């Protein structure tokens, strides 16, 4: 029995960790306790199994592993992006966006749902924090959607799902952790995840469009009296056309001096121009634009500018993700100050939430380091790798099994726990199968997004439950009694969006170029077309003769390139006489021969184990 335990300590250790987690112990302490417990067991059982490589001195490696976590600059982006998101939440940006975009889409069926999806994508690209997005939209949008007769399941489902876009659209905290665990660049992970995130946003909008046709009463348009900004879409379209024309003119003007960067600079000029015009139009009350056009431009451009400040500088290679996060945090403070909402309470709340989340991540990482020290010491990584690589179906079978595993584990673990526990075990097997780890990381990110949406531990559903009405209340605008939103309605509303996320996993597998574009369009070179010509040495026949300076520091007269193929015959040189030389064989380096007094130079067989001799 003891021998059996010693030979199978790795799977027993992994199953014990699962039991710890199911019993409800905190993840960080479960990892650390499991690692230390099995380290003691492994040291005692080491003489009974060749697969156990544990000894007491190995514990001396823990301080270095902890220091590696503490000094990881990549993880420094997590508190920066968290701070940025919470400051923006407190600044009222989400409220302004939802109100304005809701007015823009209000005249059509499902307009408020479209607004929630669009604003959810914008918040995801500025905050990167799921909790902030879901809570903000739940507080602002849900009462409005219930006021105007939206189906409760549809309303709660679209809010929860749109909030989870913060997990896959950069600058996502999940992508930072995945890049760190996979040993890849955060910038590449961001670039690879951008298109899948936008496609997922489009799928959400497509579902709302389908529901507005199949069940039009479940998402009515805003009544005329609720459209406080009035009409004015034509005015907005004209403003956008003018901005586009100015951007194109600036691009043409700047191209001779700035090259490929002229398009970005031209777009920046166009956006700044139309923003200044809208501000002046509203401030001076010229009213050349409609109120709707003014509000959309003034509200929408600052968060878009912040997105460019963060993601644009990262994608252009100007800043690292950590530096981009720092600039985003400063930009969020400036935006909050510009709106007059920056005060000590906002900063204190943001710092407290940032410290809480960063400490949570750090403790899980430290616990994971303790666990991995023991798990690798009992060759657990080899056990997992062999288990996954040997699955039937090769790469396809591996991807199907891994995605099913992550999907079901997401019922019980959140994305941080999956990223720190499961991903390091899957990465070596994926790399051995030749799978690109950036693509693999984005695929897992889309899959782990479901962890926010399905019971029993769907955190997005919990966040929405915390702000949704639990008892009937009287609406302040209409004076009507509004029924509460039940937990069952929230769960059923999330089901279609979980299905859409699973569909997105399948699309990512079927169309990998959505992610692989991050490599760019590098030109490929066929090695068989490369031709290298080197002139012959030796001083005869017009070659590059090297003079002899009388036996000093000059090269020996027998400098030759060996002829023939090393695969067919041993290399041999020819003499220094006027005999014709064979074409040089570039598969071997030149040989340095030794010539005696009064004799024609005759190079020996090439022996590259010795340096050249000069006599």
């Amino acid at each position: 029995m003891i021998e059996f335990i010693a030979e199978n300590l790795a799977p027993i250790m992994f199953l014990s960790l699962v039991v710890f987690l199911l019993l409800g112990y905190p993840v960080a302490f479960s990892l650390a306790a499991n690692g230390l417990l099995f380290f003691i067991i492994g040291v005692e059982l080491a003489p009974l199994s060749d697969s156990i490589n544990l000894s007491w001195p190995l514990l001396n490696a823990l301080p270095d592993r902890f220091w590696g976590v503490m000094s990881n600059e990549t993880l420094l982006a997590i508190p920066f992006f968290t701070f940025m998101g919470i400051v923006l939440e407190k600044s009222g940006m989400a409220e302004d966006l939802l109100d304005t975009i809701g007015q823009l889409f209000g005249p059509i069926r499902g307009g408020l749902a479209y607004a929630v999806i669009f604003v959810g994508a914008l918040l995801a690209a500025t905050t990167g924090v799921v909790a902030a997005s879901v809570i903000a939209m739940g507080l602002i949008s849900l009462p409005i959607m219930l006021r105007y007769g939206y189906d409760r399941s549809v309303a709660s489902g679209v809010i929860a799902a749109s909030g989870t876009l913060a997990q896959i659209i950069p600058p996502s905290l999940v992508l930072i952790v995945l890049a760190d665990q996979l040993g890849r660049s955060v910038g590449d992970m961001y670039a690879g995840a951008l298109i899948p995130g936008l496609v997922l946003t489009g799928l959400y909008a497509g579902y709302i469009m389908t529901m507005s046709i199949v069940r039009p009463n479940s998402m009515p348009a805003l009544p005329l009296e609720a459209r406080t900004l009035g009409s004015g879409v034509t005015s907005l379209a004209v403003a956008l056309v003018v901005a586009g024309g100015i951007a194109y003119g600036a691009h043409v003007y700047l191209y001779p001096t700035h090259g490929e960067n002229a398009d970005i600079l031209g777009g920046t000029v166009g956006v700044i121009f139309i923003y200044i015009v809208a501000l002046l139009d509203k401030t001076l009350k010229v009213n050349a634009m409609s109120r709707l056009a003014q509000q959309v431009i003034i509200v929408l451009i600052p968060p878009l500018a912040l997105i460019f400040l963060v993601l644009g500088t990262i994608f252009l290679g100007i800043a690292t993700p950590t530096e981009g996060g720092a600039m985003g945090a400063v930009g969020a403070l400036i935006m909050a100050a510009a709106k007059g909402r920056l005060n000590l309470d906002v900063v204190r709340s943001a710092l407290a939430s940032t410290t809480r989340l960063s400490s949570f991540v750090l403790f899980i990482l430290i616990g994971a380091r303790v666990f991995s020290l023991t798990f690798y010491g009992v060759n657990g990584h080899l056990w997992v790798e062999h288990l996954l690589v040997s699955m039937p179906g090769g790469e396809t079978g591996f991807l199907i099994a891994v995605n099913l595993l992550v999907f079901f584990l997401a019922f019980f673990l959140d994305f941080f726990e999956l990223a720190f526990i499961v991903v390091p075990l899957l990465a070596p097997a994926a790399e051995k199968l030749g799978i690109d780890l950036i693509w693999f990381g984005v695929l897992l990110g889309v899959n782990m997004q479901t962890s926010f949406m399905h019971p029993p531990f769907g955190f997005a559903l919990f966040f929405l439950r915390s702000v949704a009405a639990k008892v009937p209340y009287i609406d302040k605008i209409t004076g009507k009694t509004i029924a509460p939103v039940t937990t069952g309605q929230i769960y059923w509303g999330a089901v279609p969006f979980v299905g859409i996320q699973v569909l997105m996993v399948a699309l990512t597998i079927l169309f990998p170029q959505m992610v692989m574009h991050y490599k760019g369009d590098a030109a490929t070179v066929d090695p068989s077309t490369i031709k290298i010509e080197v002139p012959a040495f030796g001083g005869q026949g017009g070659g590059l003769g090297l003079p002899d300076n009388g036996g000093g520091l000059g090269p020996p007269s027998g400098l030759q390139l060996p002829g023939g193929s090393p695969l067919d015959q041993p290399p041999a040189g020819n003499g220094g006489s006027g005999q014709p030389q064979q074409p040089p064989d570039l598969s071997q380096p030149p040989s340095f021969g030794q010539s005696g007094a009064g004799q024609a130079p005759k190079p020996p067989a090439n022996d590259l184990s010795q340096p050249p001799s000069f006599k």
Side-chain angles (χ1 to χ4, degrees):
M1 183 63 181
I2 298 298
E3 289 79 4
F4 176 80
I5 295 175
E7 292 294 335
N8 297 277
L9 198 58
I12 294 173
M13 182 180 179
F14 185 78
L15 291 175
S16 299
L17 176 63
V18 174
V19 171
F20 270 111
L21 296 176
L22 292 178
L23 290 176
Y25 287 100
V27 178
F29 303 124
S30 296
L31 286 166
N34 189 273
L36 290 175
L37 174 63
F38 277 88
F39 187 93
I40 297 171
I41 296 173
V43 170
E44 297 298 326
L45 297 181
L48 302 178
S49 175
D50 295 334
S51 63
I52 300 178
N53 304 303
L54 295 175
S55 59
W56 293 115
L58 191 60
L59 286 177
N60 295 328
L62 280 180
D64 285 338
R65 294 170 72 86
F66 293 163
W67 175 249
V69 173
M70 304 291 290
S71 59
N72 189 339
E73 290 188 4
T74 301
L75 297 177
L76 191 59
I78 292 178
F80 283 143
F81 284 124
T82 305
F83 181 81
M84 178 182 76
I86 295 171
V87 169
L88 289 176
E89 177 199 352
K90 302 295 183 183
S91 71
M93 184 189 73
E95 182 177 350
D96 294 341
L97 281 171
L98 284 167
D99 180 58
T100 303
I101 305 303
Q103 294 283 328
L104 180 62
F105 288 103
I108 62 175
R109 286 196 187 99
L112 288 176
Y114 289 125
V116 166
I117 293 172
F118 184 72
V119 173
L122 277 178
L123 291 178
T126 50
T127 65
V129 183
V130 174
S133 299
V134 174
I135 291 174
M137 291 192 296
L139 286 171
I140 301 163
S141 294
L142 188 58
I144 300 175
M145 297 172 85
L146 297 181
R147 177 185 304 154
Y148 296 113
Y150 269 67
D151 181 88
R152 283 166 169 70
S153 295
V154 173
S156 57
V158 74
I159 290 174
S162 300
T164 62
L165 288 173
Q167 176 159 339
I168 193 62
I169 294 180
S172 163
L173 302 183
V174 178
L175 296 178
I176 297 174
V177 174
L178 284 173
D180 176 68
Q181 294 299 301
L182 293 171
R184 292 297 184 267
S185 163
V186 177
D188 287 345
M189 190 71 76
Y190 279 178
L194 187 59
I195 291 180
L198 296 178
V199 171
L200 185 60
T201 305
L203 291 176
Y204 287 171
Y207 170 74
I208 294 300
M209 180 183 295
T210 304
M211 289 294 294
S212 66
I213 297 172
V214 176
R215 294 176 55 198
N217 294 330
S218 65
M219 47 185 71
L222 277 180
L224 188 61
E225 63 271 13
R227 302 173 202 167
T228 56
L229 294 179
S231 59
V233 177
T234 304
S235 175
L236 178 62
V238 171
L240 294 178
V241 170
V242 171
I246 291 175
Y248 178 74
H251 164 75
V252 173
Y253 177 77
L254 295 171
Y255 187 79
T257 55
H258 292 81
E260 294 181 355
N261 290 331
D263 52 354
I264 297 174
L265 295 175
T268 303
V269 170
V271 169
I272 292 175
F273 172 80
I274 200 65
Y275 184 67
I276 293 175
V277 169
L279 279 178
L280 292 176
D281 189 53
K282 183 177 182 180
T283 304
L284 301 177
K285 297 183 179 179
V286 177
N287 295 327
M289 296 181 182
S290 66
R291 287 183 59 206
L292 179 65
Q294 289 177 357
Q295 191 69 7
V296 169
I297 292 172
I298 293 173
V299 168
L300 203 57
I301 286 181
L304 290 177
L306 187 62
I307 292 171
F308 175 76
L309 179 67
V310 175
L311 297 182
T313 53
I314 294 173
F315 291 157
L316 292 174
I318 299 173
T320 66
T322 301
E323 293 165 347
M327 289 191 295
V330 174
L333 290 172
I334 294 173
M335 286 181 59
K339 292 185 176 183
R341 300 182 182 180
L342 181 63
N343 52 52
L344 190 59
D345 289 337
V346 169
V347 175
R348 184 185 296 114
S349 174
L351 287 175
S353 299
T354 301
T355 304
R356 189 180 302 111
L357 179 63
S358 302
S359 301
F360 170 73
V361 172
L362 200 62
F363 270 103
I364 291 181
L365 263 176
I366 290 175
R369 287 292 182 269
V370 179
F371 177 83
S372 64
L373 177 71
T374 304
F375 197 67
Y376 278 63
V378 297
N379 285 330
H381 59 299
L382 298 179
W383 168 70
V384 173
E385 182 179 317
H386 176 73
L387 185 68
L388 295 175
V389 171
S390 60
M391 282 185 172
E395 181 180 329
T396 304
F398 168 79
L399 290 173
I400 293 174
V402 164
N403 280 285
L404 288 174
L405 173 68
V406 171
F407 180 79
F408 285 110
L409 285 178
F411 278 86
F412 310 102
L413 305 175
D414 73 0
F415 65 96
F416 276 129
E417 296 159 1
L418 289 170
F420 291 135
I421 298 172
V422 179
V423 173
L425 301 179
L426 302 178
E431 194 167 22
K432 190 170 183 178
L433 288 171
I435 297 173
D436 184 89
L437 291 187
I438 293 291
W439 177 78
F440 187 62
V442 173
L443 180 65
L444 292 182
V446 175
N447 196 333
M448 286 192 288
Q449 192 176 353
T450 61
S451 68
F452 282 96
M453 292 292 292
H454 52 48
F457 302 119
F459 285 94
L461 308 181
F462 291 166
F463 298 145
L464 184 59
R465 174 70 280 174
S466 67
V467 296
K470 301 179 180 65
V471 295
Y473 66 96
I474 298 176
D475 184 70
K476 296 179 181 179
I477 304 297
T478 62
K480 297 179 180 178
T481 300
I482 306 295
V485 179
T486 66
T487 302
Q489 289 170 337
I490 293 176
Y491 279 164
W492 279 113
V495 170
F497 292 95
V498 173
I500 293 174
Q501 291 169 346
V502 173
L503 174 62
M504 190 65 222
V505 172
L507 291 176
T508 307
I509 295 175
L510 293 174
F511 303 101
Q513 195 55 36
M514 283 194 299
V515 178
M516 299 302 292
H517 71 90
Y518 82 91
K519 290 187 173 181
D521 298 325
T524 57
V525 179
D526 184 2
S528 64
T529 63
I530 300 175
K531 184 179 181 182
I532 302 176
E533 295 183 357
V534 179
F537 292 92
Q540 300 292 335
L544 292 180
L546 298 176
D548 186 4
N549 61 0
L553 296 177
S557 59
L559 178 63
Q560 297 286 341
L561 286 175
S565 171
L567 301 177
D568 302 327
Q569 59 186 10
N574 62 343
S577 62
Q579 298 177 2
Q581 299 182 17
Q582 296 182 1
D585 180 9
L586 300 183
S587 63
Q588 298 291 334
S591 63
F592 296 88
Q594 180 179 4
S595 60
Q599 295 180 356
K602 184 178 181 181
N606 296 312
D607 182 9
L608 300 181
S609 63
Q610 299 294 331
S613 61
F614 300 93
K615 294 186 180 179

